[in-house]
Amino acid sequence: MRDTLHFIGQFATHFRETGALAPSSRGLARAMITALGALRPGEAVIELGPGTGVFTRELVQRFPGHRVVAVEFNTAFAGRLRSAMPTVDVVEGCASKLREHLASVGLRPDQIGGVISGLPLLSLPRPLGEAIVRSIGEVLPSGRRYVQFTYSRRAWRRFALPGFQAEPVTGVWLNLPPAVVMPFMRVA
């Protein structure tokens, strides 16, 4: 309940960055992590926009022993996540600078097993959303997945994803609002 209240407070003051009325459900978190697929030994996973940490907790539980790097722009969310999950590398900054963030925690792109994103790309300025997608492409190795969720699959199609192949989507109806999980495989 405290996470929900914290989220609502951040939404009220940073609505464009938060992009949702309520935190993501555990069902959405499970669907996102399932769409990511398996990680190879030694691979890390990047989470963009962890917010209150719903996906982060699922990542840590599903992939014990793997590094989780959470990139969060919101100072309040980043501080709270650092306190709650000390085993997670929480990087405060913009997701459009993934190469720099990975270097700051001692990771190379070839060590990345996947990227999941809770970022509200539809509510961000278009150039920033495109820069974030490019940044993902710069660090994600071929054969690994980028998983994004959205509340509007049709509107999300405006993003060009060069070097990615769309995979089958999954609807998550027990989320407020209902969401669609969209996995993309890095192919180039």
Side-chain angles (χ1 to χ4, degrees), residues 16-150:
R16 189 166 233 205
E17 297 162 14
T18 307
L21 297 171
S24 299
S25 69
R26 287 195 70 209
L28 179 56
R30 286 186 202 111
M32 291 284 287
I33 308 316
T34 298
L36 186 63
L39 294 179
R40 298 175 188 132
E43 286 184 326
V45 63
I46 302 171
E47 179 185 7
L48 306 178
T52 60
V54 175
F55 297 167
T56 316
R57 284 187 286 280
E58 191 70 24
L59 282 167
V60 169
Q61 181 180 339
R62 188 85 58 100
F63 300 114
H66 289 268
R67 280 182 79 179
V68 175
V69 178
V71 179
E72 177 58 63
F73 187 77
N74 181 297
T75 300
F77 282 147
R80 196 170 168 116
L81 192 59
R82 260 189 215 100
S83 296
M85 305 196 77
T87 63
V88 173
D89 291 307
V90 179
V91 177
E92 192 174 330
C94 183
S96 66
K97 308 218 181 289
L98 286 181
R99 191 174 293 278
E100 294 169 30
H101 296 321
L102 291 179
S104 76
V105 296
L107 285 172
R108 300 180 316 270
D110 65 312
Q111 295 173 294
I112 305 306
V115 175
I116 67 165
S117 172
L119 293 175
L121 292 178
L122 295 178
S123 68
L124 297 176
R126 187 175 182 146
L128 177 57
E130 290 170 349
I132 291 168
V133 171
R134 268 194 315 277
S135 184
I136 295 167
E138 289 174 1
V139 301
L140 190 63
S142 183
R144 308 315 291 153
R145 284 190 183 92
Y146 155 50
V147 183
Q148 175 72 49
F149 84 89
T150 185

